[in-house]
Amino acid sequence: MIDVNVDPSTTLGGNDQAVSAILLGWGNESVTPRFRNATVPHVSFEIREGNGRGFWEIWIDGKNQTSPIPNPKPDGWMDTTPYQFHNVFRQRDGTYSMRVVGIPQQEETILRFYVEHMDRPVAEHRVKNAVQAIAPIAIASLGGQQDVTNTATFAIESKAISPDMANASPKPWEIVLQALDYKRPELADVAAAMKAGKTSKAKSLFLQHMRKRKLPAGPKLDTFEMHPNYRKVADSVVNNQYGRIGWFDDFASEWTDASGIKRSFMLPDKTVDWVHDNGHLNRHFHWVALAYADNESNNDRYAKRFAFEVNDWVTREPFFWPRSPEIGGLNVIDGTVFRPGFMNTSNIGRRCEMVWWHCYEHFRDSPAFDDDAHFAMLLGFLRQSRLIMNPTSFAVHDDGGAHISIALLQNALMLPEFKESKRWKEVALQQLDEVLKVQFQPDGSHVSLSTGYNWASIKVLRNFIELMERTGSSVPERFTQALERSYRHPMLLSRSDRGQIDLNDGGWGKIADHMQQAVKLFPDRRDFEWFASEGESGKPPKENSVYFPNAGHFALRTGWSSDSRYLFMDAGPVGASHGKEDKLNIYVAIGEHQLISSGGRGAYSGGPFAAYTGSTRGYNTVLVDDGVQARIPLRQEIMTDDESVRTFASTKEYDVATGAFIHGWHSENGHTKGRHERTIVMVKGDRPSATSYFVVFDTLQFDDDKTHDAKALFHLRRNHAGIIDKATKVVHGWDSAASVRILPARPDEVEVEVIRGQTEPHIQGWHVVGTAKAPMNTPTFHWKAKGTNTQAWVIVPAGADQKWSVDSVSSKMIDAELHVSVKTADGSIARIMRSGLTATSPSGK
């Protein structure tokens, strides 16, 4: 065994071009100091630091063994650049610990490599040589073209150990006791016992302290937003039965994965199959159900089950599932390590932010939560914190980046007994500041631009404020201000029935539960109260139509009553992590009734119908040359469109919103370069909830002089649809609750069909929810476009007993301007003009 303490570069700030290495040789040939000499059998264990981070590498016979990328890449391989590199660490002052353990076999040697934390190896390799003597040589080499000198310091100790020692793994209690800060006064008796070599006494004293301590104050169990079926969950889990989606509702001892393979939740050795349900099960929400049930019970079976699962999970992780059918055939990992080519599920944030501390605070003084489980859980906190200290775990734009940051902060504040907790707090606060700047935009929108994943990050802000107040720390005002703005954005995007719209893996549900939390923090906001109470108290927002410049979101509405008319347009960036190819998509509703919706949302397991719901084909925008919006292969996670094209104006008579998509369309035949600009005019009339309608202008501008095929899609959320007149090509969608009509302004230039349940040549006209699907009426207008071409559509909503507010539509081209004339039910005429790529307002009556 070789132990090394090394400072790779004594230069202030380090030097990431400076490689400090331990060269190991064997056999009769000695290793020369020449760096990475491939002619002589050798191993190079390298480390370097600089620019705030560092990394280690292992080279064997001149070949890098640290992050080998296979060629060809196997199915399910995922490139994680620039995230989730297992060999990266945060730079700090002082030396780093490294260890190599060699275990001779008959014709080979097992080499185990350790960095910083000696409780388990970071890598293991086998070399086809029997080691006669490992002779370490310390060497520092300078890469790049820098004309500087580097100095590295080494302290090396080499000693022989027995095979049993080489193969031994430390117990959880050993790792935890080694990580403690024995300078803390509350650990004085533990420190004395350790110094005297009385480890059993030290273990007992430490757990007595952890079971009985009053501070820091942990979260109370009743602050966890518990699902009402928690008792059923707890009883089922005790009986080895689990559910699969979110909060478990259907319980079984077996389940069938997305590839059709039947699996048992309990393995033959009586342990839990954490591997194959690598998502929901490993978030451990059912542990809180056990805690709730235990709180109401005189029986210790819930505490015993909790102790069993904690010990089982911590002592067996990490869990790998190559090519998980549940997540689109990707390689999935959960636990406290990264592995190249695997996707980390980001569950650490959910566990250490929301679940584990509620459970630990409840069970820590329970006799059934035995010493082994107690030390295992503390080890779990320790190892999860160490993983998320790896800077490549932090995706600042992603909701997972927010979750792991608050998780790290909570572990730091709740575990001051660990030496590393001070550094955890420092890094967590730094990351949360970055999250605040990057994820929470000035207009209140979240960078995911989702009406689903935004709530996860809003919850992070809420949890941050609760954590800081609970532990006696002051909350910076910038966080409370950002939180208030973050509630305002989804509130003002909502339909008049206070229901969400579906953006980027969001949903259409109500948001009262979220706003009930908001009103606790901001009791003076009467609009928050109105949403929280489902309209029973408070006041509706004073804003009707709104524009969010960072998000590029427009919501045009006549009010907040049950018969109010509503249109949403998305003219903004893609959205981080969960973006779809749906730019300039619109939704239309009247009261609680969706009129123009979307193709739905497919399952994460993938497949053609999931691809459909993520592509332009599932939304209400424009396709060109049978191609979708050119995010593939040109897609970026966050892409800001030209802000200068977005405009918004609101008056008593009308609202106008304009946005553009500038990247063209991509199909099997290549990339059609061009621009789509969409302007929405809401003409309100005398009684907006009965007389308003929407005029949609679509202007296409191409970079070539070819004639292109264009299609405008409208996904109807009504049971019936039909073309009511072949000459005017008006489409009517209806059922007993509400109706909508789409009137083309230039019917002589367009053709229309209602697509429903199409599978060839492309999936079109479906509504998808997870893996379920049903045909959906999708009126599709076709036309030929060349150069700069403008079409327009008038969308007219109607309630169950309302008359149509629009009688007919006509248009003229006058000096390259499209003049749309709308004849309303009372016989008056409104004229709306579109000039080139500039919108103009309604004029006259």
Side-chain angles (χ1 to χ4, degrees), residues 491-567:
M491 177 186 72
L492 292 181
L493 282 189
S494 296
R495 296 167 285 135
S496 58
D497 69 333
R498 296 170 297 278
Q500 290 193 119
I501 53 173
D502 184 11
L503 297 179
N504 288 350
D505 288 2
W508 296 92
K510 299 292 188 72
I511 62 174
D513 55 339
H514 298 295
M515 300 311 293
Q516 286 160 11
Q517 300 300 320
V519 80
K520 291 177 184 177
L521 295 166
F522 306 101
D524 295 334
R525 291 290 303 250
R526 301 301 305 283
D527 49 356
F528 288 7
E529 181 185 343
W530 189 73
F531 269 80
S533 67
E534 289 280 25
E536 295 295 321
S537 62
K539 293 183 178 180
K542 62 182 181 297
E543 304 95 333
N544 284 337
S545 296
V546 289
Y547 167 51
F548 294 92
N550 302 109
H553 291 165
F554 298 90
L556 310 183
R557 61 165 61 81
T558 61
W560 292 95
S561 62
S562 61
D563 60 352
S564 293
R565 301 182 178 193
Y566 170 95
L567 181 144

Side-chain angles (χ1 to χ4, degrees), residues 21 100 163 193 200 255 391 419 441 495 504 525 539 563 608 617 620 629 639 697 745 770 796 802 811 824 832:
V100 182
S200 295
W255 59 283
K419 288 179 286 191
Q441 305 186 102
R495 296 167 285 135
N504 288 350
R525 291 290 303 250
K539 293 183 178 180
D563 60 352
R617 300 187 193 284
N620 309 298
Q629 291 177 348
M639 183 184 291
F697 289 94
V796 189
Q802 287 183 331
S811 66
T824 59
I832 306 98

